[in-house]
Amino acid sequence: MITESDIEHIAELADIGISKDEVPEFTTQFNAILDYFEVLDTVEGESAPDAGIVNVFRDDEPRPCLSQEKTLENAGSTENGFIKAPRVM
């Protein structure tokens, strides 16, 4: 069972802003999700796929791709021949 202090700790680790008013609701929802996983653990099914199943994916085959110049034409911002993305942190 997850406690309110667990929710506050998880929110801090995930850098999610949860107000004190929201903590009880999140605690209830989190425990409901964990209870559902317990239900799923009781479901019986086949443990392995049938032996007759084969790989349906195609083989990897090299194909021509866009040149660096063409690719950079579509980029919003570039720097030294690379696509420049905004900083995340």
Side-chain angles (χ1 to χ4, degrees):
M1 174 151 204
I2 300 296
T3 64
E4 289 186 4
S5 64
D6 293 330
I7 293 295
E8 291 169 351
H9 181 68
I10 292 168
E12 183 181 336
L13 291 174
D15 197 21
I16 300 172
I18 296 178
S19 70
K20 293 283 186 188
D21 297 336
E22 295 174 311
V23 171
E25 181 181 359
F26 274 94
T27 304
T28 303
Q29 292 173 348
F30 206 106
N31 281 312
I33 292 168
L34 293 178
D35 289 342
Y36 189 68
F37 275 106
E38 289 179 17
V39 171
L40 290 176
D41 286 341
T42 65
V43 175
E44 293 187 25
E46 295 181 18
S47 60
D50 292 337
I53 295 177
V54 296
N55 187 354
V56 294
F57 297 108
R58 65 172 171 75
D59 291 332
D60 287 335
E61 296 175 9
R63 296 186 288 177
C65 61
L66 291 175
S67 67
Q68 182 178 12
E69 293 79 25
K70 280 285 193 192
T71 302
L72 294 177
E73 285 177 10
N74 295 318
S77 179
T78 63
E79 185 176 295
N80 299 325
F82 297 97
I83 297 172
K84 184 176 180 181
R87 292 188 97 175
V88 176
M89 295 183 107

